[in-house]
Amino acid sequence: VERPVMGDPYRYLSYIRPMPVSEVNYCWLLDGRNKKSIALNLASESGREVLLKLIGTADVFITNYQPSVLDKLRLNYEDVKPLNERLIYAHATGYGEAGEEIEKPGFDMTALWARSGLMDAVYDAEGQPALSVAGMGDHPSAMTLFSGIMLALYQRERTGRGAKVSNSLMANGAWANSCLIQAALCQATPYERGTRSRAFNPMVNHYTSRDGKRFICCMIQPEKDWPALCRATGLSELIADARFATGEARVENAAALISILDRALAEKDMQEWEAIFAEYELVWSPVSTIEEVARDPQMEANRMFVEMDHPRHGRIKTVNSPIFISDTEKAAPRPAPEVGEHTREILRQLGYAEQAINELLDSKAAG
């Protein structure tokens, strides 16, 4: 359900700098696919009446309007519940449904990334906080809302009654950063910011291969990983070196060890290290560029990308949703709609005659 003419503001995200430049409206292609669009002016009584008819036939109603807007439009859960006792009403907010900031506009960059402490937590002592990337908080938050909706639908199967589900970007940010927040709740001493050259654990650090490929190691079983890393990198003599023989010693002499590993790991290309790390069962990952992710064979093998036919751009790949169910085929992706593309179709399904549809369009109650 979109506003006439302009539609959902998300339609324009692809064109906001510094987003990658493309003739394809890729953000809307991704998140608008498989949806139908009806354009309604909810400030008009006749437009609102159409929405209420839709709510009366729906299993789920999702809104991210602020409380004052819902009050003005009379679209709170209490307002619409009498229309459909089996309705699952889902409310997504920036900062929750209580407190002084319930009216505050929220984006994932502000309400999730910055407010949760994540933005402050992920840069080192020599760096600056980074902006979140588009959808980084919106998409996980949507999956959380989806899980709440599914729980409510399951409850409805048992009770026959609908329910209200709520979720906020701030809450999802707190959950994503919950380990560090829990530490603060337990009055833990804040950790000192490190740097790559003085990492607290040189085996949990990123390095660069001879061909300039960056990769990250996550070797957290020191009894197994330390000798394996030494052998893999041709540094077997370090296993018994007193400077690095224990975890405490490696922390104390981290700068020296990282310098040694930097030189050793710069002697081979990434493809060579990939085979060697596999042989020694070491945990690592390439630090992939976005372009490399789009060509990643492991992503392809696990159906992370799916093809769709686009009326303007032909056959095109899109990112698949992350949930798979056995013996169930997902619906094939269909192009994202234009604003109000399905207005007439949906109005007919609701029982509106052509004359009534034309009157709604002429009065700008629908678009």
Side-chain angles (χ1 to χ4, degrees):
V1 179
E2 303 188 76
R3 290 177 292 185
V5 186
M6 292 299 292
D8 190 327
Y10 194 83
R11 289 178 174 273
Y12 308 101
L13 180 59
S14 302
Y15 308 119
I16 299 174
R17 295 302 177 98
M19 296 294 284
V21 178
S22 173
E23 64 176 11
V24 180
N25 187 354
Y26 47 87
C27 289
W28 184 244
L29 176 148
L30 174 68
D31 286 338
R33 70 183 187 218
N34 290 55
K35 296 177 182 176
K36 292 184 177 182
S37 171
I38 179 171
L40 297 175
N41 176 7
L42 299 181
S44 72
E45 277 303 315
S46 50
R48 179 176 176 275
E49 181 183 335
V50 174
L51 179 61
L52 295 182
K53 287 180 180 290
L54 278 169
I55 291 173
T57 69
D59 287 299
V60 182
F61 173 72
I62 304 172
T63 180
N64 67 344
Y65 280 159
Q66 293 148 283
S68 61
V69 178
L70 293 173
D71 288 341
K72 180 181 178 181
L73 297 174
R74 290 166 289 144
L75 289 175
N76 286 303
Y77 181 51
E78 293 74 17
D79 296 319
V80 302
K81 182 179 177 181
L83 303 173
N84 184 347
E85 291 291 331
R86 290 173 56 81
L87 181 73
I88 306 303
Y89 182 106
H91 190 198
T93 67
Y95 296 93
E97 295 185 294
E100 296 180 354
E101 298 179 60
I102 58 173
E103 291 292 328
K104 187 176 178 179
F107 295 95
D108 59 350
M109 183 178 292
T110 55
L112 184 146
W113 180 239
R115 189 60 173 269
S116 70
L118 283 168
M119 184 175 179
D120 182 67
V122 299
Y123 69 97
D124 65 25
E126 296 175 347
Q128 292 290 327
L131 302 180
S132 59
V133 301
M136 191 171 88
D138 293 327
H139 288 171
S141 298
M143 297 305 292
T144 307
L145 187 65
F146 168 75
S147 68
I149 290 168
M150 296 307 294
L151 283 170
L153 286 169
Y154 177 70
Q155 176 181 269
R156 189 182 75 176
E157 289 302 302
R158 304 182 70 180
T159 67
R161 297 189 302 275
K164 180 181 178 182
V165 175
S166 61
N167 184 17
S168 74
L169 289 168
M170 185 174 68
N172 280 277
W175 187 243
N177 197 23
S178 55
C179 289
L180 291 183
I181 295 173
Q182 186 65 61
L185 291 171
C186 295
Q187 290 80 48
T189 303
Y191 62 81
E192 177 188 352
R193 292 188 189 276
T195 64
R196 198 203 75 82
S197 60
R198 294 186 292 106
F200 298 116
N201 183 352
M203 295 193 296
V204 181
N205 202 9
H206 55 94
Y207 296 92
T208 304
S209 59
R210 182 171 59 190
D211 54 348
K213 302 288 187 181
R214 191 177 298 275
F215 59 96
I216 190 164
C217 300
C218 187
M219 303 171 192
I220 56 176
Q221 301 180 69
E223 296 82 3
K224 176 181 82 71
D225 292 335
W226 170 241
L229 176 62
C230 291
R231 296 185 180 105
T233 53
L235 299 170
S236 297
E237 69 278 7
L238 295 185
I239 296 175
D241 190 316
R243 296 175 298 167
F244 314 123
T246 66
E248 293 78 7
R250 289 191 290 274
V251 170
E252 185 176 344
N253 298 289
L257 178 53
I258 290 168
S259 179
I260 294 169
L261 290 172
D262 274 340
R263 291 193 296 272
L265 291 165
E267 292 177 355
K268 290 183 172 63
D269 291 346
M270 187 67 260
Q271 191 171 12
E272 296 174 85
W273 286 124
E274 183 173 0
I276 292 169
F277 290 165
E279 178 185 351
Y280 285 89
E281 299 181 343
L282 294 171
V283 180
W284 72 285
S285 173
V287 179
S288 302
T289 66
I290 303 300
E291 290 71 26
E292 288 169 337
V293 172
R295 301 189 300 269
D296 191 325
Q298 187 67 15
M299 297 265 186
E300 291 278 5
N302 285 277
R303 297 181 288 164
M304 294 296 96
F305 312 127
V306 61
E307 290 190 334
M308 65 183 296
D309 290 313
H310 194 279
R312 289 179 55 195
H313 306 293
R315 196 75 172 163
I316 193 169
K317 286 183 179 178
T318 183
V319 182
N320 206 350
S321 61
I323 297 175
F324 298 88
I325 301 174
S326 64
D327 302 320
T328 303
E329 284 297 320
K330 292 185 182 182
R334 300 188 304 273
E338 300 297 329
V339 180
E341 180 177 336
H342 305 96
T343 297
R344 285 186 177 274
E345 174 188 333
I346 295 170
L347 289 172
R348 291 191 192 103
Q349 291 173 353
L350 288 172
Y352 283 85
E354 287 302 312
Q355 181 178 346
I357 293 173
N358 291 331
E359 288 174 356
L360 285 166
L361 295 170
D362 291 341
S363 67
K364 310 299 184 186

